Amino acid sequence: MLTTSFTWNDLLFMLDGAWVTLQLTFWAILMGTFAGLLFGLLRALAPRASLPLAWLLDVFRSVPLLIQFVLFNAFKSIVGLNISAFSVGCIVLGVYTAAYFTEVVRGGVLAVPLSVRRASRSLGLSYLQDLRWIVLPMATRVAFPGWLNLVLGVMKDSALVMWIGIVELLRASQTIVTRIQEPLLVLCIAGLIYYVMSLVVARLGARLERRWQEND
């Protein structure tokens, strides 16, 4: 019998959607962080040589994420790529993350004073040693808050994958709303779940940042 009230099974269905949201966020941040780190270093250390890369990344930062999902999903069908909608969501979110994290890394690297780098070289460190032991640790602390904000943003932006057929938290919520016609109740629960997930990520990030400060 079809019920028109919110049930325990509905909550479990929403939590399953939240798990999909977390998986999308994890893979997007993983791909975007590694790619953004590489691209950010290139942009900071070789700005002229990496200009074509900068223009390409500007495209992904400028075009709305929803349009990127729709276009890539259509492109996948046109060229016959046999990948799932979940993979499409991860790839698009990963590229989107990389485009923004590139600028976060670039800003972190450029925030390291040139005098510090000169001092490290005068002490006998090679270019790579200077990059590994001086620049990256200092840039990481500068870039970390921006990276954390990016994680929280990607977690919320992942809701747009519903337009390519992925049942994440928001899509699961809309499915329940269609059945019970209680949008206020369901969306409040969805918002609470988003809040809890974001709060956990933010608290973990704040704890890590405090440990860095204590070790100084």
Side-chain angles (χ1 to χ4, degrees), residues 2-7 10 174-181:
L2 184 65
T3 179
T4 57
S5 59
F6 191 82
T7 66
D10 291 331
Q174 289 188 334
T175 301
I176 297 171
V177 168
T178 301
R179 195 189 85 245
I180 69 175
Q181 296 299 309

Side-chain angles (χ1 to χ4, degrees), residues 120 124-135:
S120 67
L125 294 181
S126 67
Y127 181 83
L128 291 179
Q129 287 174 329
D130 168 56
L131 191 64
R132 168 66 180 85
W133 299 109
I134 305 298
V135 176

Side-chain angles (χ1 to χ4, degrees), residues 36-50 53 105-106:
L37 178 60
L38 175 62
F39 297 159
L41 288 174
L42 286 174
R43 291 289 299 122
L45 303 177
R48 292 186 179 179
S50 61
L53 174 64
V105 173
R106 186 177 74 89

